[in-house]
Amino acid sequence: IVTGIMLVCFYFMSRKLKREALTQKQLTLKPLIDIAKNRLNWPILFSCPVNFSIYFTLQSVLGKKFLEDYGKLASSKAAFFTFIIMPFAMTTLFSSGLTSRMLGNRRKIFIMTATSLCMINSIMMMSALILNIKGDFILIFFILFAVTSGFLTIFVSTIQELNPKECTALSAGTLNFMCYFSVAVIAHLAGFVMDLFKPESAHGQITVYPPQAYICVFGILSALDRKSVV
């Protein structure tokens, strides 16, 4: 119902807008090639997808299973943990842009904060696994990953500024593609690595992976984070 009302309002509003004459342009890959050749884009196109994909993989793919296997949490509590980190990501998404504007549209400090925090958090989480530290405080690590992903707006603004005006939309789209492409890659890589370890127990269709499997996965994530910071 709400969607229908919004469509009707949009229809009547669009009728009052002046339509600019459409100019025919030849479809070309040159803008995309220019974005790929711009060396200033490379750190953004690597570090942002790494931060985003780690959070998204934990929130939607790996997190609940990790909390059940390692944290020994009930399914409902594990699901609540993965849900409760979403408001932190959304709050950071909303506030990071405003804070950047208040600080004179500074970008670098936010990018360095996001990448450094993600790396430190990955190392601390892997250390907790190695030391066999368990408890509800693991939620703190999840929250920090969610916060680092919330700086996505800063990365998007930065890559738009690094490219010509005619490539503004395409550069943002390219970054968005890289983020979700990296989610697919890291999620499949995590699953492949975990399957290399023999499950501790399997009850019917439920497989419990050993802590070593998760240590290996977070070790890979930590390595990606360190490269992202550099």
Side-chain angles (χ1 to χ4, degrees), residues 47 65 81 117 137 142 212 214:
S47 58
K65 182 64 175 173
F81 269 29
L117 182 60
F137 79 96
F142 278 58
Q212 291 79 5
Y214 294 101

Side-chain angles (χ1 to χ4, degrees), residues 16-34:
K16 298 180 180 180
L17 297 176
K18 295 182 179 179
R19 297 184 179 181
E20 297 181 358
L22 298 177
T23 58
Q24 293 184 352
K25 293 185 179 181
Q26 184 179 2
L27 182 63
T28 175
L29 295 177
K30 186 179 182 303
L32 184 61
I33 295 174
D34 291 341

Side-chain angles (χ1 to χ4, degrees), residues 44 47-49 51-52 55 88-100 103 106-118 143-159 175 179:
I44 304 298
S47 58
C48 180
N51 281 24
F52 179 80
Y55 158 72
F88 289 92
M90 292 186 294
T91 301
T92 309
L93 277 169
F94 177 76
S95 61
S96 59
L98 294 177
T99 307
S100 175
L103 295 178
R106 296 180 182 274
R107 307 275 192 256
K108 186 175 181 179
I109 185 174
F110 293 96
I111 293 174
M112 292 303 299
T113 299
T115 53
S116 300
L117 182 60
C118 193
I143 291 174
L144 291 177
F145 279 127
V147 170
T148 59
S149 73
F151 290 99
L152 177 63
T153 53
I154 303 297
F155 285 95
V156 172
S157 300
T158 302
I159 200 169
L175 180 60
C179 286

Side-chain angles (χ1 to χ4, degrees), residues 22-70:
L22 298 177
T23 58
Q24 293 184 352
K25 293 185 179 181
Q26 184 179 2
L27 182 63
T28 175
L29 295 177
K30 186 179 182 303
L32 184 61
I33 295 174
D34 291 341
I35 292 174
K37 286 183 176 180
N38 187 351
R39 291 178 178 268
L40 296 176
N41 292 332
W42 294 359
I44 304 298
L45 290 174
F46 180 81
S47 58
C48 180
V50 168
N51 281 24
F52 179 80
S53 59
I54 290 175
Y55 158 72
F56 202 88
T57 300
L58 285 176
Q59 200 277 326
S60 61
V61 180
L62 189 62
K64 183 174 181 291
K65 182 64 175 173
F66 164 74
L67 293 171
E68 292 175 350
D69 291 353
Y70 178 77

Side-chain angles (χ1 to χ4, degrees), residues 100-134:
S100 175
R101 182 178 293 275
M102 292 172 60
L103 295 178
N105 289 324
R106 296 180 182 274
R107 307 275 192 256
K108 186 175 181 179
I109 185 174
F110 293 96
I111 293 174
M112 292 303 299
T113 299
T115 53
S116 300
L117 182 60
C118 193
M119 179 191 69
I120 294 172
N121 196 40
S122 295
I123 294 175
M124 289 194 303
M125 194 162 188
M126 186 175 63
S127 300
L129 290 172
I130 295 174
L131 297 174
N132 196 31
I133 300 175
K134 300 181 181 180

